[in-house]
């Protein structure tokens, strides 16, 4: 069988849709709810056609009431239903911060294990393209601070489907962070049933000189940087963390023990971030292996600017990543 | 929603809800000069939006961009009814209000071009028009975020007038919101506070009957009786024809004067329609072409033009002349915006704090940058 016929290639958004459709077929307790998910087929067409298959009791349009519908779904999850809540953007989840952080993440603990919260919150995270500061939130660092929730960030269609299926089957609240910029990207997704487990990082490209760790869209720039650096004789090992909670620090440590250098790329702000957490863990575990401190690339420490050139300079980009790797490997 | 009710034109008499407010009389119709000014403003906004769409297609504008065409009379009629120093705050569909408030269109265009000449130095973009000189406290991107801010601006003017100046509360705040924003909880918290604290804020509901692809009755309970939303808080309410700038103004003027005098909040439903898609990438499949053309036939600019023609022999030529001037002004604005330099890099760390600190890197203490901010 040639590679071409063996590999079915679909869009990221289709992979997400397939995951939801398959899980909804398998389990009647699963439903999808959010703004414009049903009649409009999703603001970003992720849920296209799902209303037709499942009807309006299981694919549900809501008013612009994030706090209300998140809380409502958490209540239903306490009774054992398994909602998938779409935020048009994670930026809008901020108005639902109390239910998703206080109720979803803590329900099991507060009830002494009596009431769980099997729910998935999903939607676009991070900068879209000149959406300015209110609409460009990277919530991973804010929310990863909270115990009781899981967090996944898929990079390609294969993981989008596999991780989302795992998320829907998980008995805990999962924050599933997609990127609007990745939705139209394509990749191989097998026809057969599969899932991608949480807590297993993926080595996206192997290398000997520097471990480059990232999640989601910035991986694109890491891979680009790693190609550019290879021309200079610096070989990066690019690790896709895939899930932030749980975090597969072992795979990262294993790589750093080989490369003795590490750069973490995280689209959120630097202060008290996922990036600083990973750096701190690697410093603690790989203290004797590192030739240099762990370097980090983040968005600049300012609200996201609208202006195109400022936004480009603000985001983690290939140039910044190359500079950080050169510095971390004493090639600056 | 049934069609007879949509434009409010049929209901151009005094709406039922107004009758309770017997103390509010319709303000007189202003003179021809004022009306011509409004016509010019509406033409200006429309032309501005046409050129905005063009610029967006030409990728001079990025991000989300929301066009105000169809709703011009709401901004023009209501803003004309308050004083120049009365605060205004609103959502992201904000170009029209900025122009109606007196912002030079070139600053508005430059903002969308991401240029240093923009009203927010290119940092906010289409959804975030701010203009301190014109007491415009922003377009706001998060649906309904502006509604508590509106209460806060009214709280501040009242505090300043009564406590700091020891006088009588003498300002009124305009807070615009879309019909979709009715369903955010913060709006109800804001109304409750406004009522409890007697805040002079007018919540101007721009009911264009859709929030993105959601028709109002699919997303909002009691969609045909929206007055109940404010009644629950003891806040007075009225319905106005948002396509008829004269009607807008006459009721609005009385309402604004009453709010100023009594220091009380108000809820006004302006019935209107947005002609274009929600944003630049909306195929509008959720409504019919027939509905759209019916709405466009009842157009705010045409209505005022007809009135002027009938009452003051305003000629076709005069209209042409005005249109020409407006086109020139907007064309010049686009040119000006295009010539304004891109926002320079040293703006990155400015305005984060009142002192310019930066850059924070995670490995060093940020420095206080010089005035003028070298990075
Ligand atoms: C809290 C929040 N949720 C969702 C959105 C996405 N969104 C932007 S505008 C909009 C529709 C709002 O409609 P409406 O209030 O009627 O205003 P209109 O666009 O008609 O002017 C939505 C859902 C947002 N900006 N903020
Ligand atoms: Mg609307």
């Amino acid at each position: 069988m040639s590679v071409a016929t063996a590999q079915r290639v679909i869009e990221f958004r289709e992979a997400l849709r397939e995951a939801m459709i398959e899980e909804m077929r398998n389990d009647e307790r699963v439903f999808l709810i959010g703004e414009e998910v049903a009649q409009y087929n999703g603001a970003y067409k992720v849920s296209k056609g799902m209303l037709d298959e499942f009807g309006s009791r299981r694919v549900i349009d809501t008013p612009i009431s994030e706090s209300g519908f998140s809380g409502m779904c958490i209540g239903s999850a306490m009774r054992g239903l398994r909602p998938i809540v779409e935020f048009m953007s994670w930026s809008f989840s901020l108005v639902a911060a109390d239910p998703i952080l206080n109720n979803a993440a803590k329900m099991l603990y507060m009830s002494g294990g009596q009431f769980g919260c099997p729910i998935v919150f999903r939607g676009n995270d991070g900068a879209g393209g000149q959406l300015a500061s209110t609409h460009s939130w990277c919530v991973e660092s804010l929310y990863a601070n909270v115990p009781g929730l899981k967090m996944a960030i898929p990079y390609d269609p294969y993981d989008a489907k596999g991780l989302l299926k795992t998320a829907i089957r998980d008995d805990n609240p999962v924050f599933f962070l997609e990127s609007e910029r990745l939705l139209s990207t394509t990749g191989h997704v097998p026809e057969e049933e599969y899932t991608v487990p949480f807590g297993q990082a993926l080595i996206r490209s192997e290398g000997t000189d520097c471990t480059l760790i990232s999640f989601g869209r910035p991986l694109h720039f890491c891979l680009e940087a790693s190609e550019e650096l290879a021309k200079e004789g610096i070989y990066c090992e690019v690790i896709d963390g895939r899930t932030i909670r749980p975090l597969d620090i072992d795979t990262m440590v294993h790589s750093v023990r080989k490369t003795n250098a590490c750069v973490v790329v995280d689209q959120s702000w630097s202060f008290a971030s996922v990036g600083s957490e990973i750096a701190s863990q690697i410093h603690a575990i790989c203290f004797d292996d590192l030739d240099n401190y762990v370097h980090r690339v983040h968005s600049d420490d300012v609200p996201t600017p609208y202006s195109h050139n400022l936004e480009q300079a603000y985001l983690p980009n290939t140039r910044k990543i190359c500079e950080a790797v050169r510095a971390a490997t004493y090639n600056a | 929603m049934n069609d007879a009710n949509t434009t409010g034109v049929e209901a151009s008499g005094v709406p039922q809800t107004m009758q309770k407010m017997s103390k509010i009389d319709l303000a007189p119709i202003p003179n021809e000069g004022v009306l011509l000014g409004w016509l010019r403003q509406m033409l200006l906004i429309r032309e501005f939006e046409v050129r905005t769409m063009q610029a967006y297609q030409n990728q001079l504008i990025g991000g989300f961009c929301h066009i105000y065409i169809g709703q011009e009379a709401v901004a023009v009629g209501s803003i004309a009814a308050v004083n120049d120093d009365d605060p205004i705050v609103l959502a992201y569909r904000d170009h029209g209000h900025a122009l109606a408030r007196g912002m030079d269109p070139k600053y508005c265009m430059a903002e969308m071009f991401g240029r240093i000449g923009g009203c927010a130095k290119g940092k906010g973009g289409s959804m975030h028009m701010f203009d301190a000189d014109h007491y415009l406290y922003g377009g706001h991107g998060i649906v309904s975020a502006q509604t508590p801010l509106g209460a806060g601006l009214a709280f501040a003017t009242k505090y300043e007038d009564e406590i700091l100046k020891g006088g009588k509360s003498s300002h009124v705040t305009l807070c615009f919101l879309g019909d979709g924003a009715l369903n955010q909880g913060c709006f109800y918290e804001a109304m409750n506070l406004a009522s409890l604290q007697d805040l002079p804020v007018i919540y101007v509901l721009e009911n264009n009957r859709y929030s993105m692809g959601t028709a109002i009755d699919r997303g909002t309970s009691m969609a045909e009786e929206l007055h109940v939303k404010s009644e629950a808080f003891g806040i007075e309410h009225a319905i106005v024809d948002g396509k008829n700038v004269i009607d807008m103004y006459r009721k609005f003027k009385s309402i604004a004067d009453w709010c100023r005098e009594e220091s009380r909040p108000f809820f006004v439903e302006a019935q209107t329609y947005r002609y274009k898609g929600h944003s630049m990438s909306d195929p509008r499949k959720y409504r019919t072409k027939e509905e759209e053309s019916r709405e466009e036939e009842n157009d705010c600019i045409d209505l005022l033009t007809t009135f002027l023609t009938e009452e003051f022999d305003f000629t076709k030529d005069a209209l042409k002349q005005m249109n020409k001037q407006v086109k020139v002004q907007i064309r010049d604005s686009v040119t000006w915006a295009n010539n304004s330099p891109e926002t320079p890099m040293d703006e990155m760390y400015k305005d984060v704090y009142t002192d310019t600190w930066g850059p924070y890197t995670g490995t060093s203490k940020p420095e206080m940058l010089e005035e003028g901010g070298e990075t």
Side-chain angles (χ1 to χ4, degrees), chain A residues 69-91:
Chain A
F69 66 74
S70 300
M72 181 182 90
C73 288
I74 293 163
S76 79
M78 291 173 73
R79 293 271 307 180
L81 298 187
R82 306 180 74 88
I84 305 169
V85 178
E86 177 173 307
F87 291 127
M88 200 176 279
S89 157
W90 275 96
S91 292

Side-chain angles (χ1 to χ4, degrees), chain A residues 36 61 64-66 135 306-307, chain B residues 112 122 141 183-184 213-214 218:
Chain A
E36 309 290 350
D61 276 331
I64 312 170
S65 310
E66 286 83 358
H135 283 50
Y306 164 78
S307 163
Chain B
M112 293 194 278
N183 302 312
Q184 281 284 345
T214 303
R218 289 208 303 120

Side-chain angles (χ1 to χ4, degrees), chain A residues 101-117 147-149 172-173:
Chain A
L101 300 180
N102 244 344
N103 299 335
K106 300 174 181 171
M107 193 65 72
L108 187 67
Y109 195 82
M110 282 198 310
S111 67
Q114 297 180 81
F115 295 113
C117 193
L149 57 85
N172 300 285

Side-chain angles (χ1 to χ4, degrees), chain A residues 36 39-40 44 61 63-66 88 92 129-132 134-135 270-271 300-302 306-307 309-310 313-314, chain B residues 62-64 111-112 114 122-125 128 141 183-184 211-214 218-219 282 342-343 345 348-349 352 360:
Chain A
E36 309 290 350
Q39 291 194 15
Y40 199 76
Y44 297 91
D61 276 331
I64 312 170
S65 310
E66 286 83 358
M88 200 176 279
F92 311 146
Q130 289 195 266
L131 301 185
T134 55
H135 283 50
S270 156
F271 203 101
D300 287 0
D301 192 40
V302 304
Y306 164 78
S307 163
N309 59 330
L310 284 192
Y314 154 93
Chain B
F64 293 146
E111 184 58 31
M112 293 194 278
K123 292 181 174 182
H128 307 109
N183 302 312
Q184 281 284 345
S211 68
M212 284 185 92
T214 303
R218 289 208 303 120
D282 171 9
E342 290 203 323
T343 306
M345 281 305 149
M348 183 78 87
Y349 279 85
V352 182
Y360 174 78

Side-chain angles (χ1 to χ4, degrees), chain B residues 52-65:
Chain B
T52 296
M53 290 190 289
Q54 263 173 26
Y56 196 93
Q57 305 300 351
N58 295 334
Q59 295 180 351
L60 284 161
I61 297 173
F64 293 146
C65 186

Side-chain angles (χ1 to χ4, degrees), chain A residues 35 64 66 88 92 95 135, chain B residues 92-93 141-143 178-181 184 208 210-212 274 278:
Chain A
E35 290 155 30
I64 312 170
E66 286 83 358
M88 200 176 279
F92 311 146
V95 302
H135 283 50
Chain B
Y92 46 83
R93 197 179 297 282
I142 299 300
V143 168
D179 45 291
Q184 281 284 345
N208 60 16
Y210 292 92
S211 68
M212 284 185 92
R274 77 165 145 71
H278 167 72

